[in-house]
Amino acid sequence: MVDWHLVKEMKPPRTQQEWEAEFQKYQQFPEFKILNHDMTLTEFKFIWYMEYSHRMWGRVVGLAYILPAAYFWRKGWLSRPMKGCVLALCGLVCFQGLLGWYMVKSGLEEKPDSYDIPRVSQYRLAAHLGSALVLYSASLWTGLSLLLPRHELPATRQLLRLRQFAHGTTALIFLTALSGAFVAGLDAGLVYNSFPKMGERWIPDDLLAFSPVLRNIFENPTTVQFDHRILGIASVTAVTALYLFSRKIPLPRRTRMAVTSLLAVACMQVGLGISTLLMYVPTPLAATHQSGSLALLSMALWLMSELRHVPK
């Protein structure tokens, strides 16, 4: 889909003539000219419906936020703080949609000075994913805050340290998930398909091949994969340390379950990441790995919520 219309594009092409017109529009852009020049109309329909489904799902999500919010607001069921929260969430939903089109647009632009295959900007992809993660995290946190009655935390030094540790671990998990957008945007998962070493070396020779050096962090596929590995290892290490530290503290059953679930999902996510790498990034496995990052972030937010509500 090479156009963006809020309402008009909701109706897909129906006739052969409409499909051919849509295909001709796609043929004007670099992705077809360079990457998919031998694509058939049937193949085009597949990728078109993939994008169409994503956009329509985004609209459904938007309506799932906005319509109930408007109804509850009209009924007077929202407190003043909750009204601010609802406005922020609905604003994030709208911003996410605009950011999505801004990202897609980058993949349709002519880049005469580039010899790379046409792709969306990894910066815009990371911004789109980051915005989605913020929206999801804010929604989950709001839901947990409403569903789990708040209790005062006991003023013990160990519990305060555990809560700080949980906050830091959650931030690290978020950063690791965000770095995955740069891996996907640059196809960095296909650069070195070995583990734990990258090829024959622990630190590859082309780690700092770009100049200036700062460019490597965001534009060098080798560096991007290396950073994602380091962040992933750091995340699972932090989760394991958090779990071991929590064993020294008496915690309620549900809080203990949150810590254990976090460790279990972290181990599963590491296994998925390594498998995705060694198998040369098959799409179903890569999508599962991406979903695993969201599951891991969810467990971390659940634990933060539990520690916020530990009873005396």
Side-chain angles (χ1 to χ4, degrees), residues 4 91-104 128:
W4 192 88
L92 271 173
V93 169
C94 297
F95 176 71
Q96 176 69 0
L98 293 173
L99 197 55
W101 170 242
Y102 181 63
M103 177 197 72
V104 169
H128 188 49

Side-chain angles (χ1 to χ4, degrees), residues 70-131:
Y71 179 76
F72 294 153
W73 194 300
R74 184 177 178 82
K75 286 289 186 178
W77 294 347
L78 301 177
S79 64
R80 188 171 180 178
M82 185 53 62
K83 284 181 179 179
C85 184
V86 165
L87 283 176
L89 289 173
C90 291
L92 271 173
V93 169
C94 297
F95 176 71
Q96 176 69 0
L98 293 173
L99 197 55
W101 170 242
Y102 181 63
M103 177 197 72
V104 169
K105 188 172 178 289
S106 68
L108 302 174
E109 296 169 349
E110 295 277 358
K111 300 172 184 174
D113 298 331
S114 175
Y115 296 96
D116 200 359
I117 62 172
R119 66 172 96 239
V120 298
S121 164
Q122 70 271 26
Y123 295 102
R124 299 188 193 184
L125 178 60
H128 188 49
L129 176 62
S131 175

Side-chain angles (χ1 to χ4, degrees), residues 226-244:
F226 181 82
D227 291 344
H228 191 63
R229 290 183 184 219
I230 296 300
L231 286 169
I233 293 169
S235 294
V236 73
T237 302
V239 169
T240 304
L242 178 65
Y243 174 80
L244 294 175

Side-chain angles (χ1 to χ4, degrees), residues 19-206:
W19 274 114
E20 289 177 353
E22 193 72 22
F23 192 25
Q24 286 175 2
K25 280 196 254 182
Y26 174 69
Q27 291 172 354
Q28 299 171 17
F29 292 92
E31 185 175 292
F32 176 82
K33 294 177 182 178
I34 300 173
L35 191 62
N36 296 327
H37 53 85
D38 57 349
M39 176 178 280
T40 64
L41 181 59
T42 301
E43 292 169 333
F44 169 72
K45 287 182 180 181
F46 175 77
I47 66 167
W48 192 94
Y49 272 118
M50 288 285 287
E51 176 66 15
Y52 176 78
S53 300
H54 183 72
R55 295 191 188 188
M56 292 305 295
W57 183 251
R59 286 170 170 78
V60 170
V61 170
L63 291 175
Y65 273 85
I66 295 170
L67 293 181
Y71 179 76
F72 294 153
W73 194 300
R74 184 177 178 82
K75 286 289 186 178
W77 294 347
L78 301 177
S79 64
R80 188 171 180 178
M82 185 53 62
K83 284 181 179 179
C85 184
V86 165
L87 283 176
L89 289 173
C90 291
L92 271 173
V93 169
C94 297
F95 176 71
Q96 176 69 0
L98 293 173
L99 197 55
W101 170 242
Y102 181 63
M103 177 197 72
V104 169
K105 188 172 178 289
S106 68
L108 302 174
E109 296 169 349
E110 295 277 358
K111 300 172 184 174
D113 298 331
S114 175
Y115 296 96
D116 200 359
I117 62 172
R119 66 172 96 239
V120 298
S121 164
Q122 70 271 26
Y123 295 102
R124 299 188 193 184
L125 178 60
H128 188 49
L129 176 62
S131 175
L133 291 175
V134 169
L135 174 61
Y136 174 80
S137 299
S139 302
L140 180 60
W141 183 262
T142 302
L144 292 173
S145 300
L146 293 172
L147 293 172
L148 301 178
R150 180 162 187 170
H151 300 281
E152 292 296 327
L153 280 168
T156 64
R157 186 176 179 182
Q158 280 189 316
L159 258 174
L160 291 176
R161 287 180 62 192
L162 181 64
R163 184 171 63 180
Q164 292 170 351
F165 199 172
H167 288 183
T169 301
T170 303
L172 183 58
I173 290 169
F174 184 93
L175 182 61
T176 305
L178 190 60
S179 74
F182 287 93
V183 175
L186 292 171
D187 286 332
L190 297 172
V191 179
Y192 288 96
N193 297 95
S194 57
F195 190 87
K197 291 184 178 181
M198 297 180 72
E200 298 297 323
R201 305 176 67 90
W202 290 102
I203 301 178
D205 293 330
D206 54 341

Side-chain angles (χ1 to χ4, degrees), residues 204-241:
D205 293 330
D206 54 341
L207 188 67
L208 299 175
F210 290 12
S211 180
V213 175
L214 189 61
R215 278 186 60 207
N216 289 279
I217 299 174
F218 305 107
E219 298 179 15
N220 185 342
T222 298
T223 312
V224 166
Q225 188 191 119
F226 181 82
D227 291 344
H228 191 63
R229 290 183 184 219
I230 296 300
L231 286 169
I233 293 169
S235 294
V236 73
T237 302
V239 169
T240 304

